[in-house]
Amino acid sequence: MAMNLVIVESPTKSKTIEKFLGKNYKVKASMGHLRDLPKSTFGVDVEKDFEPKYINIRGKGELIKELKTMAKKADKVYLATDPDREGEAISWHLAHILGLEEDKSCRIEFHEITSSAVKDAIKHPRAIDMDMVDAQQARRILDRIVGYQLSPLLWRKIRKGLSAGRVQSVAVKLVADRDKEIEAFVPQEYWTLNAKLREHAKAPIFEAETVKYKGKKLELTSAEQAHAAEAALANAAYIVSKAERKERKRHPMPPFTTSNLQQEANKKLNFSAKKTMMVAQQLYEGVSLGKASVGLITYMRTDSVRLADVAVDEIRNYIKDSLGQEFCSPKPNHYSAKKNAQDAHEAIRPTSVLRTPSEVAGHLTSDQLKLYTLIWKRAVASQMSDAVYDVTTLLIDAGDYQLRASGSILRFAGFLELNGGKSADEEKDKTVPYIEPGSKLVLHKLLPAEQHFTEPPAHFTEATLIKELEEKGIGRPSTYAPTIVTIISRGYVVKEGKKLLVTELGLLTIDMLTEYFKDLINIPFSAELEGQLDEIAEHNISKEQVLHNFYGPFAKDLARANEEIPAVDLPVEVTDIPCEKCGRMMVVKEGRFGKFLACPGFPDCRNAKPILKKIGVACPVCGGELIERKTKTGKTFYGCEKYPECEYTTWDLPLQEKCAKCGHMLVEHTERSGRKRKYCSNTECVDARPVRPAAVKEQEPPKTAAKKTARGGRKKAAK
């Protein structure tokens, strides 16, 4: 009996695939890379065209021996690593270890782990694509050059243990530049003035905004100007000068790419990029659906928005059968890929649209179901009809002023039907009646002028940083999640809630790199370098040429920086809190989880503890101070400083105000919409927050929240 060996990357995937192929196949996992550059040395011979020195990864010896034994016994070896550059390189390394000829047909690839896709791939093996391998090697060597030659400079000049990376340095610069922009922002005062109008006493009321004065854009920058406009509008005659009624269509979004998925999962599910990729990997590799195990989504590392024709047909048939012919677009929707997108494989989609979220819910974890639902809905919506709105716009003259009223009504839900005819990111429909030009209007009420101030740009979140990296051509979908993990773990950036904030260490490092390594953190240069890696994969340029072009200027910059940069002592913030173990005054340090207190006597004294943020409100149970704490996932809650003696906790912000009805403490609850509402903390009071069954779990904060220190230890106290 013939015996064939199929090598994949992960054990989960191997179990799923082995069930598809039957008794004549053995499927074994390589557990990722088996060979890599050495950790202890540079491992790249710059003088010999950047020749890399690969070694077997420590700890993989037994696995390599087992794979060699299995390969010798096998009639045919298939290398089925992931269908991207990294996977191609792993196959190349496997071919070297197992003595396979790389130009022979030993490489198979599939973009979904289903029986038909795997069996079809077995029928069409190919040779290893050395252009893809060269592109991966070029990226690996570039990152090794930056990491191993620039990092020691940072150790000597700033702090031991720092690291520099080609993509991570640009990411930190983006965060630092945004934070500087916010800090330098000077708010400008402006006022708005709205009026409620109607055609006659019994006609519907609608709201209009004052937009022009004497034909020019209205700019009210002071209270005096606003009150003058108020006085004029109070006595003005309102006449419709222009009325327009038209149809507006809203198109469905394309199916997910990796970066889009990370952004949406961050915004809608509050998943970090790392968590999104981890859960997506589980859905791709295979989930047990009772008797069978199957991959639920296609490969999750892609920047393509293309769907296979067979998938488009299945989705369109599902829409017609389940929702109705009118909800399916008249012809298949095709979407344009972004510039420099790698279109080798499809967008992320369900492997079968017939496996609806409700049908697989019982087999998935909560996180898996949330992400699968997001992917399933996006793929289905991409082939649905446009949503159609009726939009009415009125321009209204009032003396020297002009007002504008605009409203829209959803006439046909189209793809929004998947969400019950509603869009999560749009405001509710606002009705404005169509009124013929020349009609006089009645002023129902002139709303008081409202003062506003211009807002600075928002801090980056994981979602918006990924979007910025993608738009500027920095990195690739597979690098976004590890890049964010790295810049946080190295202490260059901290995460507060969803916001990413640059640290003092990050600012110091970026300022130094900006002065001495302009190309390294120059965004156009970095984007151009990514383009050159694509050119290697397409056989348009050699990896040696790209490496030479980069290394020459970099080496000169490195030599100058070594000579000119003075060593910098990071200022230390000393507190008045004594160390319980040795008596020294503790200092504020910054780690991957934010700021914490540490003993300056490290390493002799390793005492460290969280910084307690008091909120100025007494505990309603014992009278102690309430402090802000954090869960392991970074969610804020509030608890008593006397924990564990007092276990009072709440998700809602405690206030100093007392309830007018029972005298208990009030709390401020933030709803999903962002609206803040005050409730009584006494659950027996009529003004207490009503508890929905689905929200019971949410209202029970953890009794403790363990905090990791920067050195990897754990403290029993919560943040």
Side-chain angles (χ1 to χ4, degrees):
M1 185 191 302
M3 182 57 66
N4 303 301
L5 174 64
V6 179
I7 302 177
V8 296
E9 289 184 43
S10 81
T12 304
K13 196 190 297 186
S14 68
K15 291 174 186 175
T16 305
I17 292 172
E18 199 162 59
K19 292 176 182 177
F20 298 151
L21 295 177
K23 296 179 180 179
N24 292 345
Y25 290 85
K26 288 287 183 184
V27 185
K28 186 69 179 174
S30 71
M31 310 299 289
H33 279 277
L34 293 177
R35 290 204 309 164
D36 197 6
L37 297 172
K39 289 184 177 180
S40 56
T41 59
F42 183 37
V44 177
D45 193 333
V46 176
E47 303 300 324
K48 291 185 178 179
D49 272 344
F50 301 90
E51 182 182 319
K53 177 191 175 184
Y54 292 114
I55 62 169
N56 292 345
I57 295 172
R58 183 178 294 179
K60 295 282 184 96
E62 286 300 316
L63 177 58
I64 290 172
K65 185 178 178 181
E66 184 182 359
L67 287 172
K68 281 183 174 180
T69 302
M70 294 177 75
K72 284 179 182 178
K73 294 179 180 178
D75 294 287
K76 180 76 176 176
V77 177
Y78 295 98
L79 305 178
T81 50
D82 287 348
D84 55 17
R85 293 176 192 169
E86 203 70 29
E88 203 71 20
I90 293 174
S91 281
W92 178 69
H93 286 300
L94 278 166
H96 174 86
I97 288 171
L98 303 178
L100 306 177
E101 295 181 37
E102 62 196 38
D103 58 345
K104 293 293 177 68
S105 299
C106 61
R107 173 80 166 112
I108 62 171
E109 62 174 296
F110 36 82
H111 306 286
E112 58 184 67
I113 301 178
T114 58
S115 179
S116 58
V118 172
K119 289 176 180 177
D120 186 63
I122 290 285
K123 294 176 184 176
H124 301 96
R126 60 168 174 81
I128 292 172
D129 187 334
M130 286 308 299
D131 292 325
M132 288 181 68
V133 174
D134 282 350
Q136 187 275 343
Q137 287 193 91
R139 180 187 293 280
R140 185 75 183 92
I141 293 168
L142 281 169
D143 291 343
R144 174 55 64 105
I145 289 170
V146 174
Y148 272 57
Q149 296 199 351
L150 185 53
S151 296
L153 175 73
L154 299 181
W155 301 349
R156 292 193 301 274
K157 305 295 184 179
I158 301 178
R159 178 192 288 172
K160 281 187 177 180
L162 295 184
S163 73
R166 190 174 52 83
V167 176
Q168 77 185 50
S169 297
V170 180
V172 176
K173 178 173 170 54
L174 288 172
V175 177
D177 288 349
R178 175 62 60 85
D179 285 6
K180 288 176 183 177
E181 189 180 350
I182 292 169
E183 191 174 340
F185 182 81
V186 179
Q188 303 293 319
E189 180 184 10
Y190 71 98
W191 293 70
T192 56
L193 187 54
N194 290 11
K196 289 193 172 183
L197 305 166
R198 64 198 325 178
E199 191 172 6
H200 52 78
K202 293 185 179 180
I205 298 168
F206 60 92
E207 193 169 313
E209 180 187 1
T210 312
V211 292
K212 286 186 177 181
Y213 175 67
K214 292 185 176 180
K216 295 183 179 179
K217 181 182 176 182
L218 178 68
E219 293 183 353
L220 302 175
T221 58
S222 67
E224 292 75 20
Q225 291 176 347
H227 296 324
E230 258 184 329
L233 287 171
N235 300 305
Y238 293 83
I239 301 171
V240 178
S241 58
K242 184 179 179 181
E244 186 179 60
R245 185 164 48 196
K246 62 181 180 181
E247 177 183 278
R248 177 172 66 85
K249 292 183 177 180
R250 184 182 173 197
H251 308 300
M253 298 291 286
F256 281 126
T257 63
T258 304
S259 63
N260 294 147
L261 178 63
Q262 290 172 345
Q263 291 169 50
E264 282 297 290
N266 184 253
K267 287 190 287 187
K268 293 183 177 176
L269 307 178
N270 201 25
F271 283 10
S272 67
K274 180 182 178 181
K275 180 175 180 178
T276 298
M277 296 308 290
M278 179 188 72
V279 177
Q281 183 93 26
Q282 295 164 1
L283 295 173
Y284 166 68
E285 290 186 345
V287 174
S288 177
L289 302 179
K291 294 180 180 179
S293 182
V294 66
L296 292 185
I297 64 170
T298 54
Y299 192 54
M300 64 285 161
R301 292 186 179 91
T302 176
D303 43 10
S304 171
V305 290
R306 177 178 57 81
L307 292 178
D309 291 341
V310 65
V312 171
D313 290 342
E314 186 187 54
I315 290 171
R316 292 175 63 79
N317 288 332
Y318 172 83
I319 295 167
K320 293 171 188 175
D321 294 342
S322 302
L323 300 173
Q325 177 78 41
E326 68 275 21
F327 289 102
C328 187
S329 61
K331 58 182 181 179
N333 290 332
H334 297 289
Y335 300 90
S336 299
K338 293 187 177 181
K339 185 182 177 183
N340 297 328
Q342 296 169 19
D343 199 41
H345 27 270
E346 291 181 77
I348 305 169
R349 63 165 174 85
T351 52
S352 173
V353 73
L354 301 179
R355 283 190 280 267
T356 63
S358 59
E359 288 191 11
V360 299
H363 304 283
L364 304 183
T365 65
S366 173
D367 287 341
Q368 288 173 342
L369 180 60
K370 287 175 184 176
L371 195 66
Y372 182 69
T373 303
L374 204 64
I375 294 167
W376 187 91
K377 283 189 173 183
R378 181 74 165 242
V380 173
S382 73
Q383 292 303 316
M384 291 181 69
S385 306
D386 296 340
V388 182
Y389 293 84
D390 286 330
V391 181
T392 302
T393 303
L394 303 179
L395 292 180
I396 303 151
D397 290 340
D400 290 334
Y401 295 87
Q402 187 178 72
L403 293 83
R404 184 177 184 272
S406 183
S408 63
I409 297 293
L410 181 64
R411 177 155 51 90
F412 175 66
F415 71 94
L416 296 178
E417 186 70 12
L418 280 181
N419 294 319
K422 296 178 181 178
S423 173
D425 56 356
E426 284 195 333
E427 294 181 5
K428 292 181 180 178
D429 294 342
K430 189 168 75 172
T431 306
V432 172
Y434 180 83
I435 303 173
E436 291 291 341
S439 302
K440 293 183 179 180
L441 301 177
V442 177
L443 176 63
H444 173 74
K445 183 180 181 182
L446 187 64
L447 300 176
E450 288 191 17
Q451 183 187 36
H452 308 274
F453 291 92
T454 53
E455 296 282 342
H459 287 284
F460 276 117
T461 63
E462 287 199 21
T464 55
L465 181 58
I466 288 169
K467 183 178 181 182
E468 189 82 359
L469 288 168
E470 182 187 32
E471 287 180 350
K472 294 187 180 301
I474 309 300
R476 277 289 175 257
S478 59
T479 67
Y480 298 146
T483 293
I484 291 173
V485 169
T486 300
I487 63 177
I488 293 173
S489 65
R490 297 296 182 186
Y492 296 127
V493 169
V494 292
K495 196 172 177 182
E496 287 190 4
K498 279 193 170 186
K499 294 188 294 187
L500 297 176
L501 307 174
V502 71
T503 63
E504 189 174 7
L505 175 63
L507 278 174
L508 188 65
T509 305
I510 287 303
D511 287 345
M512 188 199 81
L513 293 177
T514 301
E515 183 175 354
Y516 291 94
F517 297 90
K518 289 186 173 65
D519 281 347
L520 183 65
I521 59 173
N522 177 274
I523 290 168
F525 175 83
S526 298
E528 184 183 343
L529 195 56
E530 289 293 341
Q532 289 177 4
L533 294 174
D534 294 342
E535 292 289 301
I536 295 172
E538 293 165 12
H539 199 62
N540 294 329
I541 190 173
S542 71
K543 77 175 190 294
E544 291 78 17
Q545 185 178 341
V546 170
L547 292 169
H548 275 291
N549 291 344
F550 173 82
Y551 189 73
F554 176 77
K556 289 179 182 177
D557 289 342
L558 190 66
R560 184 172 74 93
N562 264 312
E563 290 181 9
E564 297 181 9
I565 300 177
V568 177
D569 283 327
L570 280 172
V572 177
E573 182 184 341
V574 182
T575 70
D576 58 356
I577 302 171
C579 173
E580 301 93 330
K581 295 185 178 179
C582 69
R584 296 181 179 95
M585 290 301 174
M586 301 194 84
V587 297
V588 177
K589 291 281 183 97
E590 199 139 22
R592 63 183 299 185
F593 297 99
K595 293 184 176 181
F596 65 97
L597 292 175
C599 181
F602 181 84
D604 298 327
C605 179
R606 295 176 176 267
N607 187 26
K609 60 184 181 180
I611 295 174
L612 301 181
K613 183 179 177 182
K614 297 182 179 181
I615 62 172
V617 179
C619 173
V621 175
C622 71
E625 283 266 15
L626 290 180
I627 58 173
E628 183 180 298
R629 299 176 183 240
K630 299 280 186 183
T631 66
K632 291 180 183 179
T633 58
K635 189 174 180 181
T636 300
F637 70 102
Y638 306 90
C640 185
E641 66 174 348
K642 294 183 179 180
Y643 177 85
E645 288 79 15
C646 177
E647 294 190 345
Y648 176 79
T649 55
T650 175
W651 289 117
D652 299 327
L653 173 65
L655 304 173
Q656 289 184 333
E657 296 176 58
K658 302 296 182 184
C659 175
K661 293 185 178 172
C662 71
H664 279 72
M665 176 184 75
L666 292 183
V667 294
E668 184 178 80
H669 174 67
T670 303
E671 298 176 341
R672 288 195 174 188
S673 63
R675 181 182 176 188
K676 298 180 186 295
R677 297 186 64 176
K678 295 179 183 179
Y679 293 98
C680 181
S681 60
N682 176 15
T683 55
E684 304 298 321
C685 181
V686 292
D687 284 345
R689 176 155 70 99
V691 180
R692 304 185 309 277
V696 171
K697 186 177 179 181
E698 177 195 326
Q699 293 205 12
E700 297 173 357
K703 299 298 182 186
T704 62
K707 170 173 173 71
K708 285 185 178 181
T709 70
R711 302 184 192 104
R714 282 194 178 273
K715 289 292 168 185
K716 290 181 180 178
K719 281 188 183 178

